[in-house]
Amino acid sequence: MAKQLLLVRHGKSDWGNLDLKDFDRPLNKRGKENAPEMAERLVNKGFKPDLIVSSPAKRAKSTAKFFAEAYNIDQIHFEESIYEANTTALLKVVNRLDDSAEKTIIFGHNPGFTDFANELSGADIYNIPTAGMVLISFPFDSWKMVSKGTGELVFFDYPKNSDEV
């Protein structure tokens, strides 16, 4: 069975409290509106994840929870190395995913996510906006096989994208 990886950038975060560490920044009002809206769009596309993995940063965690709720999934796996990760670190996370999961969603951050999507699929995405999602499929039955250029872009969607595919 082919693997499908959905990269979701966290929703818009709140910069209101400058004393907060970057890691602890919450979602702002727009982030709290966009995340469930994007989760619903994903449900409507018929995508059903087997596994949800997220950066433990507050804004990523909150975004992941909206998606988990949309799918009635209780468990979110938190992976510290996703926070501030570059493409090498992100590939390690993907290569370690459980092969019993065909479809995985990973919640994280830019610039790593945009670079990673482009590196895996050869897509030419300039920037994944907040709450944006990129679905990439791989012709493998093991996540260990995933490497640069082995994926195919299925879709790229984001809150301000009105012409959904």
Side-chain angles (χ1 to χ4, degrees):
M1 255 309 268
K3 298 292 183 205
Q4 288 195 313
L5 178 67
L6 185 77
L7 300 173
V8 180
R9 184 176 172 203
H10 63 75
K12 197 111 185 104
S13 57
D14 190 346
W15 290 83
N17 181 351
L18 297 176
D19 295 332
L20 277 183
K21 283 197 195 93
D22 176 72
F23 187 85
D24 296 324
R25 277 193 290 126
L27 291 178
N28 69 8
K29 183 175 180 289
R30 200 168 101 210
K32 288 177 186 150
E33 288 165 2
N34 288 159
E37 176 196 319
M38 294 308 287
E40 194 178 317
R41 255 191 229 181
L42 192 61
V43 170
N44 293 339
K45 285 181 194 288
F47 181 87
K48 274 193 129 96
D50 302 307
L51 182 64
I52 294 181
V53 182
S54 176
S55 153
K58 188 168 188 176
R59 58 195 182 277
K61 209 185 262 193
S62 305
T63 305
K65 281 181 182 156
F66 281 116
F67 279 73
E69 277 169 23
Y71 284 105
N72 290 316
I73 292 176
D74 297 330
Q75 202 175 14
I76 298 171
H77 299 269
F78 295 105
E79 177 60 68
E80 286 196 23
S81 61
I82 296 171
Y83 180 65
E84 295 187 330
N86 61 16
T87 55
T88 310
L90 290 168
L91 185 60
K92 280 185 184 146
V93 171
V94 170
N95 289 156
R96 286 196 313 258
L97 290 171
D98 186 338
D99 283 336
S100 68
E102 299 299 334
K103 297 178 178 180
T104 300
I105 307 181
I106 298 184
F107 293 86
H109 313 267
N110 260 355
F113 263 38
T114 298
D115 294 344
F116 194 46
N118 289 332
E119 183 169 292
L120 288 178
S121 67
D124 191 14
I125 296 168
Y126 172 68
N127 176 45
I128 300 173
T130 48
M133 343 185 254
V134 177
L135 181 63
I136 301 168
S137 70
F138 301 92
F140 310 123
D141 52 15
S142 172
W143 291 108
K144 289 174 190 62
M145 305 282 292
V146 171
S147 62
K148 184 176 179 171
T150 58
E152 194 176 312
L153 180 68
V154 179
F155 70 74
F156 170 35
D157 197 6
Y158 49 93
K160 287 188 172 149
N161 181 17
S162 50
D163 51 276
E164 280 183 68
V165 271

